[in-house]
Amino acid sequence: MSDILDQRTVNPDSVSPRPTAIRYGLIGGLAMVILNLVFYLSEMLDLSKASFLSLPNLTNYVLMIAVVVLALRYHRDQELGGYLPFTRCLGMGWWLGLTMGIVGAIWAYIFFQFIAPDLVETIREMQIEQMQDQGLSEEQIEQSEKYMAMFTSPGAMAILSIFGNVLMTIIIALFAGLFMKKDPPSSV
């Protein structure tokens, strides 16, 4: 009986999370690109009403959660013999986020540089309007515009999307890991 258990139990250190995370990250990243393109082409991407709870954002969050959960489940059930240490969730989250972030960064650069460069100016104008609504002086707004131009360039937005994706997927993976983890027997 213990021979059967030993054959089924996989040492997590002998299986890298990277291939599965990259595969699922590419799928999730490409799905996000397609969704965002659909939202843009259907004119549902309205930056003047952009918020955390907008339909495009909520759809992206649901997609991220689904990709993380599916990747963790596959890794646990197909590669680790049904076991998933909690610490492995962090590694999976890192690789998923990095992969989705790189795909998203390439998309963000192409989108803001070539497809919709006018949106960058719209974003800047909205930020200036928000600063004016907050009562900032013209001098303060002028100083802020230098930083705004730096952080709202297509390249900067692409780089920031990598960090955002990594952070979000790590958080999602850690929460999912609370429910999906299953430690292997101590003999492994």
Side-chain angles (χ1 to χ4, degrees):
M1 182 77 172
S2 67
D3 289 338
I4 294 171
L5 180 62
D6 290 343
Q7 287 175 341
R8 250 188 99 230
T9 305
V10 177
N11 181 348
D13 295 335
S14 68
V15 179
S16 173
R18 196 173 0 185
T20 298
I22 290 173
R23 182 176 342 109
Y24 277 85
L26 286 172
I27 292 167
L30 291 173
M32 287 178 121
V33 167
I34 291 167
L35 275 173
N36 285 313
L37 186 58
V38 167
F39 283 130
Y40 175 71
L41 293 175
S42 64
E43 297 181 3
M44 291 178 70
L45 187 64
D46 184 3
L47 293 176
S48 65
K49 297 176 184 170
S51 75
F52 180 78
L53 297 176
S54 68
L55 182 62
N57 284 342
L58 287 175
T59 306
N60 281 330
Y61 299 139
V62 168
L63 180 63
M64 285 178 108
I65 291 168
V67 167
V68 169
V69 169
L70 290 172
L72 288 174
R73 188 175 72 186
Y74 179 86
H75 189 55
R76 178 191 68 197
D77 297 342
Q78 302 299 318
E79 299 174 333
L80 296 178
Y83 299 103
L84 182 67
F86 185 71
T87 55
R88 180 56 64 105
C89 298
L90 179 65
M92 287 290 289
W94 161 256
W95 285 109
L96 283 163
L98 185 63
T99 306
M100 290 172 73
I102 290 171
V103 171
I106 293 168
W107 163 250
Y109 184 80
I110 291 169
F111 182 75
F112 287 112
Q113 184 69 37
F114 303 110
I115 297 173
D118 55 312
L119 284 182
V120 173
E121 190 57 37
T122 303
I123 291 169
R124 289 178 186 159
E125 288 171 5
M126 285 174 41
Q127 290 175 334
I128 290 170
E129 192 175 299
Q130 287 174 351
M131 287 186 266
Q132 289 170 338
D133 291 345
Q134 294 172 356
L136 271 64
S137 69
E138 287 299 317
E139 184 179 307
Q140 290 172 316
I141 293 173
E142 194 174 301
Q143 289 175 340
S144 298
E145 284 179 320
K146 295 173 191 172
Y147 293 105
M148 210 182 328
M150 184 172 61
F151 286 109
T152 57
S153 70
M157 288 193 284
I159 290 169
L160 291 171
S161 77
I162 293 174
F163 291 114
N165 273 291
V166 169
L167 180 64
M168 283 297 293
T169 55
I170 286 175
I171 291 169
I172 293 167
L174 290 175
F175 275 110
L178 291 172
F179 301 100
M180 298 178 71
K181 76 176 179 79
K182 184 176 179 187
D183 292 322
S186 59
S187 63
V188 174

